Amino acid sequence: MQTHQYDVVIVGAGGAGMRAALEASGEARTAVISKLYPTRSHTGAAQGGMAAALANVEEDNWEWHTFDTVKGGDYLVDQDAAEILAKEAIDSVLDLEKMGLPFNRTPEGRIDQRRFGGHTREHGQAAVRRACYAADRTGHMILQTLYQNCVKQDVEFYNEFYVLDLLTDHDLTTEQIEDGAEVNATGVVAYDLASGEIHVFQAKAIIFATGGAGKIFKTTSNAHTLTGDGMALAYRRGLPLEDMEFFQFHPTGLAGLGILLSEAARGEGGILRNSEGERFMERYAPTIKDLAPRDIVARSMANEVREGRGAGPNKDYVLLDLTHLEPAHIDAKLPDITEFARTYLGIEPYTEPVPVYPTAHYAMGGVPTNVQGEVLRDSHNVVKGLYAAGEVACVSVHGSNRLGTNSLLDINVFGKRAGRSAAAYAKTVAQHKELPENPAARVEAQLAEMRDRPEGERVADVRQALQETMDANAQVFRTGDSLNEALATIRDLQKRYRNVSVQDKGKLFNTDLLEAIELGFLLDIAEVTVVAALNRKESRGGHYREDFPNRDDANYMLHTMAYRRPTSAPDAGDGHVPGYFDHVENFGDYKVVLGSKPVTQTRYEPMERKY
Amino acid sequence: MTAVLENPAAPSSEPEVGAVPSFDVTLRIRRYNPESEHGEESTWDDFTVQVHGTDRVLDALHKIKWEQDGSLTFRRSCAHGVCGSDAMRINGRNRLACKTLLKDVNPDKPITVEPIKGLPVVKDLVVDMEPFFASYREIMPFLITSGNEPTRERLQSAEDRERFDDTTKCILCAACTSSCPVFWTDGQYFGPAAIVNAHRFIFDSRDEGATQRLEILNDKEGVWRCRTTFNCTEACPRGIEVTKAIQEVKRAMITRAF
């Protein structure tokens, strides 16, 4: 075992992690730990753009952007955070340009902007050009630019190190901790893939920027490596997860594959059609049609298929029609996604419509933070020295449905804020907080148990069963029955997980072992997602309950806060977990306790959401 | 596969999505695991798996790992050709496993899969990428400017932006560098990927570091080692005209025009 000491340790080297590193590394001794090489991170797969009311091509302002974000999130957005997001968007984009990001340009040489779903002028009057972009590789350019600047600043990376535990000075799962009492994060435990060695990182401040958990679903735009690691580690250590029931299904995944085709395709004029050739979004969102927010478009598509108007031999997808666009325009603005259609489906988008269907894309929920990036341990107390940013976090700027181009924005605005806050805090701490005794014991035991189990079930079988039940029962349409079925399956899979074994028993580059560990994260995240979805008996944003099809502000205008506790721990409502939902799902060996957190409303009253 | 708007029910001669027949394919994979009974020896293992017509080499590798041999080791992440993790030698050519459809690499014969060449093999298809990234870092792959930053964005014409567009597409997968015969014999050579990333900044109208980068690449291990074999261009999964970019850097070195 090796130990390291840093002021700031950042876990994850995607957009949020590297943006944070650029802030922190100049101020404090900083290390970035990533399970991938930084340029492999999934920020690089983001395509369409990054929202900012630059008003480079038409009138726009941050207030309209704030409103669109709040309405897009079906009013579950914390409005103070959304205002920060929209205001700081402008400098975030300019920061990236100054770092070298090659944005597409207007004829005047300014950063070009285009339309995207849910972004409007004058509070919904018409679509506005707000997305700053670099062809359909905006995420790639952001990831490369941030990495380039990390090289320039000589940021220290630990690549292909898997963080497998978070260390704190109190056990939040069992200890009764008073309101206002101090809880500190003290370090993380990591596994070096190349050598199999354990490393303990002691830090004054830790930033989680580990990304999402799309692999709980089968059909997803997410990378194989997006297994909810950061969320699961925090959750297992007793921290709450917020709004996990809200998962975004991106409307245009390549049918059958889930590979993302950017909303920019519709921003540039692409049209969704059913098997009858009808532009069906005119019926669902008469004003902005194909540029409605993603939850609405995804549901509309699924509904077309359900009502028998799907295309293809099995009538199980709809068509994204770009054939009316000039090939030169497609090449200039959408080169990568049209190549995906050619490579993976053999479709020529110049002349043929592309088969598409919703694909699991983005977790609106995650580790709760305040606007400084500090992680909350309940509805209002923070864990000192612990920060989170990006998809792993829930600020909440996305509420129940994120607008396209707001996630590349989120990682930049809140990555920067988390980096600054963490470094500033680390500078106020004279001495590192003491690590627990045997800090790596838990991880070592977990790895040894998994490695040494002689034979058992295959990881891939359990994972596949999980992903299939999530696709079948917790996707665009949900009911109490479907969610209960998913939960029963997940409970069974949790039991089977205790019996999985890996074939690779070695120390060197043992990806077999790490896939098994990642499966454990996926199971925990799927479980809490389904428990939260069962409890929210309303439909809002990305969470649609057919048995409760309306939004219910009277009972559910609240963030869900889910805690995992030993069965013996007190339930919600007694001060241990401030809560209103007070729902407890007891699984025998532990329970999921659902509490709540108020939604911050500033200037916008909830209204019916029409487009 | 076709999807026709006007008459969706029309029978098609091409197979449709979901209707693609499955077939068996054999992968002949170069194995190396110093912890195994073979020690420092590398060996070939054959695996036969059933796959679908839309499956890629990565899908077959996953099937092997998940159903037959969990110790088979390779890198992967995004699985659609943008993260650059899974460059490997497939039937003797450098490709991304996630972008190579099995039906396109003649599945009637065993498909050979090996690690990319010129970098130390760590285990099976995984190589040590550090020397590759070290070369990348050496060419100062970041925007260099002087003076005060402007209040708003720097202006750049669409034409100036287009000048270096091709080389911004690089995903650092190392397919080009590890296809280069010069790099195979001389690991000190910067290699195509580093030069591509130097090109990306040398020809960016906002950048003022071209002279420094050209100085670095004027080194005996720099651009002059390129023998214009075009392997790199052929290998690039992003379609970057790598050899052309190297030629442009060579020309800039002589003319100092960029």
Side-chain angles (χ1 to χ4, degrees):
Chain A
M1 189 183 86
Q2 291 191 38
T3 55
H4 310 264
Q5 235 182 31
Y6 288 92
D7 293 330
V8 178
V9 162
I10 299 169
V11 185
M18 289 202 285
R19 190 66 191 80
L22 291 175
E23 297 301 318
S25 66
E27 299 290 318
R29 203 174 118 77
T30 299
V32 183
I33 310 175
S34 170
K35 70 177 185 177
L36 300 169
Y37 272 86
T39 58
R40 313 297 183 222
S41 304
H42 211 53
T43 296
Q47 298 167 352
M50 171 169 166
L54 297 183
N56 275 2
V57 291
E58 62 180 307
E59 189 187 352
D60 197 8
N61 64 62
W62 62 258
E63 192 273 315
W64 295 350
H65 185 184
T66 308
F67 172 78
D68 290 339
T69 301
V70 171
K71 182 181 172 188
D74 219 348
Y75 295 91
L76 200 73
V77 171
D78 287 325
Q79 296 186 9
D80 55 338
E83 187 166 319
I84 287 169
L85 181 82
K87 270 186 189 165
E88 296 184 7
I90 294 160
D91 276 343
S92 286
V93 166
L94 297 178
D95 281 354
L96 288 169
E97 197 285 327
K98 287 167 192 171
M99 286 182 209
L101 197 139
F103 284 107
N104 276 43
R105 299 288 172 160
T106 66
E108 299 77 38
R110 314 205 77 95
I111 295 168
D112 199 9
Q113 299 188 270
R114 66 178 163 203
R115 297 190 183 106
F116 239 81
H119 290 281
T120 70
R121 65 177 161 81
E122 294 171 84
H123 311 106
Q125 293 298 308
V128 73
R129 293 171 201 270
R130 186 178 290 148
C132 309
Y133 67 100
D136 54 357
R137 345 187 147 101
T138 315
H140 164 77
M141 299 299 190
I142 288 176
L143 190 69
Q144 295 290 326
T145 300
L146 292 175
Y147 183 61
Q148 288 156 3
N149 281 272
C150 285
V151 170
K152 186 178 184 179
Q153 285 195 25
D154 212 10
V155 171
E156 189 175 357
F157 287 97
Y158 289 84
N159 296 326
E160 296 182 329
F161 274 58
Y162 287 65
V163 169
L164 299 181
D165 203 2
L166 166 69
L167 304 172
T168 54
D169 61 357
H170 288 274
D171 183 348
L172 292 165
T173 62
T174 54
E175 285 178 45
Q176 292 280 343
I177 295 162
E178 296 287 304
D179 193 31
E182 191 171 309
V183 175
N184 296 284
T186 55
V188 296
V189 182
Y191 173 90
D192 175 10
L193 184 62
S195 68
E197 211 179 339
I198 301 288
H199 293 244
V200 174
F201 292 80
Q202 189 176 19
K204 295 174 179 171
I206 297 153
I207 304 175
F208 268 20
T210 55
K215 279 286 159 183
I216 60 175
F217 293 96
K218 180 176 169 220
T219 306
T220 175
S221 63
N222 282 205
H224 285 285
T225 41
L226 286 170
T227 48
D229 306 15
M231 294 175 191
L233 294 179
Y235 182 57
R236 289 173 180 183
R237 282 301 192 179
L239 293 170
L241 294 178
E242 179 176 353
D243 289 343
M244 292 302 286
E245 62 272 38
F246 297 106
F247 209 95
Q248 178 163 84
F249 299 90
H250 192 292
T252 53
L254 275 185
L257 296 171
I259 294 172
L260 179 65
L261 296 186
S262 174
E263 195 170 309
R266 283 169 284 137
E268 296 291 349
I271 292 169
L272 291 167
R273 298 187 190 280
N274 59 23
S275 61
E276 293 156 17
E278 183 203 8
R279 184 180 192 180
F280 57 85
M281 282 311 299
E282 287 179 331
R283 277 187 276 120
Y284 298 93
T287 308
I288 55 175
K289 304 181 181 79
D290 299 275
L291 286 175
R294 289 173 177 172
D295 58 330
I296 294 174
V297 180
R299 257 193 312 277
S300 306
M301 291 166 66
N303 197 51
E304 288 300 296
V305 166
R306 214 151 65 150
E307 292 182 356
R309 292 185 295 277
N314 304 321
K315 293 179 157 294
D316 58 356
Y317 53 76
V318 301
L319 298 165
L320 175 63
D321 183 9
L322 304 175
T323 58
H324 54 292
L325 302 179
E326 284 296 319
H329 183 71
I330 291 176
D331 289 348
K333 301 294 177 73
L334 307 167
D336 277 5
I337 61 164
T338 44
E339 196 200 319
F340 295 154
R342 292 182 195 112
T343 302
Y344 296 115
L345 290 184
I347 288 279
E348 176 45 69
Y350 294 160
T351 54
E352 297 168 274
V354 184
V356 289
Y357 197 73
T359 180
H361 187 57
Y362 187 87
M364 267 74 74
V367 177
T369 72
N370 61 23
V371 294
Q372 307 306 333
E374 294 174 286
V375 170
L376 302 176
R377 64 176 165 85
D378 54 29
S379 63
H380 57 283
N381 285 296
V382 301
V383 178
K384 294 192 90 171
L386 186 61
Y387 301 79
E391 192 174 341
V392 66
C394 181
V395 184
S396 154
V397 288
H398 307 307
S400 60
N401 172 63
R402 175 174 70 73
L403 291 186
T405 67
N406 266 356
S407 63
L408 288 179
L409 178 56
D410 178 8
I411 59 176
N412 278 285
V413 167
F414 289 99
K416 182 176 176 177
R417 280 178 162 251
R420 284 193 175 181
S421 308
Y425 173 71
K427 283 164 107 175
T428 68
V429 179
Q431 283 286 324
H432 283 81
K433 296 277 187 297
E434 221 170 298
L435 291 175
E437 256 180 80
N438 302 323
R442 192 163 149 147
V443 168
E444 278 166 347
Q446 184 191 18
L447 291 169
E449 192 191 345
M450 186 62 80
R451 208 192 323 246
D452 297 344
R453 199 174 291 142
E455 60 186 73
E457 285 222 53
R458 283 189 181 276
V459 167
D461 294 342
V462 175
R463 185 175 49 213
Q464 189 183 347
L466 172 72
Q467 292 168 338
E468 282 176 358
T469 196
M470 290 299 285
D471 265 26
N473 298 310
Q475 223 234 17
V476 173
F477 294 115
R478 301 165 170 182
T479 65
D481 287 348
S482 76
L483 292 165
N484 274 316
E485 188 176 331
L487 189 57
T489 306
I490 294 166
R491 292 305 308 155
D492 180 50
L493 295 173
Q494 289 276 29
K495 290 191 193 101
R496 286 170 60 184
Y497 180 66
R498 286 182 218 135
N499 191 37
V500 298
S501 76
V502 297
Q503 288 180 295
D504 193 338
K505 308 291 185 190
K507 294 281 274 179
L508 306 181
F509 227 96
N510 190 341
T511 54
D512 201 22
L513 179 65
L514 269 296
E515 276 192 38
I517 299 294
E518 289 174 327
L519 173 60
F521 298 149
L522 289 175
L523 286 164
D524 286 354
I525 296 305
E527 185 176 271
V528 67
T529 298
V530 171
V531 168
L534 265 168
N535 183 61
R536 187 173 284 275
K537 296 181 178 65
E538 64 154 355
S539 291
R540 182 189 297 271
H543 171 69
Y544 191 83
R545 286 283 299 262
E546 290 184 86
D547 41 357
F548 300 95
N550 298 314
R551 196 174 83 194
D552 177 2
D553 287 349
N555 290 306
Y556 291 99
M557 183 57 95
L558 287 164
H559 297 295
T560 303
M561 301 288 272
Y563 305 77
R564 194 163 96 159
R565 291 285 180 265
T567 319
S568 56
D571 289 342
D574 57 6
H576 179 59
V577 175
Y580 161 81
F581 287 130
D582 286 356
H583 175 85
V584 181
E585 201 66 48
N586 198 326
F587 294 133
D589 43 355
Y590 60 85
K591 60 190 176 187
V592 179
V593 179
L594 296 181
S596 66
K597 182 163 88 81
V599 176
T600 307
Q601 268 180 40
T602 54
R603 57 174 93 201
Y604 307 110
E605 283 292 317
M607 293 187 304
E608 194 193 348
R609 191 159 159 257
K610 280 185 177 165
Y611 286 94
Chain B
M1 182 189 130
T2 54
V4 183
L5 272 185
E6 301 76 46
N7 187 0
S12 163
S13 57
E14 303 265 308
E16 296 273 4
V17 158
V20 189
S22 54
F23 54 91
D24 282 351
V25 62
T26 300
L27 268 63
R28 180 163 294 162
I29 302 172
R30 189 135 182 125
R31 306 295 301 271
Y32 168 77
N33 181 0
E35 289 181 305
S36 75
E37 66 207 38
H38 302 291
E40 293 298 318
E41 290 285 300
S42 67
T43 55
W44 291 95
D45 277 355
D46 283 11
F47 297 96
T48 301
V49 284
Q50 197 182 53
V51 297
H52 300 287
T54 52
D55 281 352
R56 299 151 264 164
V57 172
L58 179 63
D59 295 309
L61 290 171
H62 270 146
K63 264 199 125 171
I64 295 165
K65 184 175 181 66
W66 294 342
E67 294 171 10
Q68 297 185 29
D69 183 353
S71 74
L72 178 66
T73 303
F74 50 91
R75 289 191 179 99
R76 90 287 186 259
S77 187
C78 80
H80 64 284
V82 297
C83 81
S85 296
D86 63 350
M88 47 190 80
R89 247 168 111 76
I90 299 166
N91 281 350
R93 259 189 70 189
N94 279 7
R95 295 158 163 271
L96 297 182
C98 62
K99 248 190 129 170
T100 307
L101 270 67
L102 288 159
K103 68 181 172 61
D104 296 339
V105 282
N106 188 14
D108 296 339
K109 290 192 206 162
I111 297 163
T112 62
V113 184
E114 304 162 79
I116 49 176
K117 284 174 77 172
L119 292 162
V121 180
V122 174
K123 184 174 171 183
D124 292 347
L125 303 171
V126 174
V127 299
D128 179 5
M129 295 292 287
E130 269 313 313
F132 172 81
F133 278 101
S135 291
Y136 166 79
R137 288 192 293 266
E138 260 185 78
I139 54 88
M140 309 171 82
F142 39 79
L143 193 74
I144 297 171
T145 58
S146 57
N148 285 334
E149 285 188 336
T151 310
R152 293 278 296 193
E153 70 263 47
R154 290 188 178 79
L155 298 183
Q156 182 170 55
S157 72
E159 296 70 40
D160 283 346
R161 166 65 180 79
E162 185 59 28
R163 180 69 190 84
F164 63 102
D165 186 63
D166 200 34
T167 46
T168 64
K169 295 188 301 199
C170 177
I171 55 174
L172 299 167
C173 68
C176 61
T177 295
S178 63
S179 74
C180 174
V182 178
F183 181 76
W184 295 340
T185 53
D186 175 6
Q188 303 283 309
Y189 172 43
F190 278 92
I195 302 170
V196 158
N197 282 280
H199 179 283
R200 178 252 171 273
F201 288 101
I202 290 167
F203 293 94
D204 185 335
S205 59
R206 300 169 298 174
D207 182 80
E208 297 168 38
T211 311
Q212 289 159 270
R213 286 190 203 91
L214 289 172
E215 208 48 58
I216 294 164
L217 289 173
N218 202 14
D219 183 90
K220 66 177 169 49
E221 302 294 352
V223 284
W224 306 112
R225 301 290 323 258
C226 169
R227 288 290 173 271
T228 334
T229 54
F230 285 89
N231 280 18
C232 50
T233 301
E234 202 186 317
C236 179
R238 301 286 286 161
I240 300 170
E241 293 182 275
V242 182
T243 314
K244 184 179 166 204
I246 298 173
Q247 292 303 104
E248 288 178 352
V249 172
K250 285 181 182 170
R251 202 173 307 126
M253 218 166 267
I254 296 162
T255 62
R256 297 282 154 168
F258 35 79

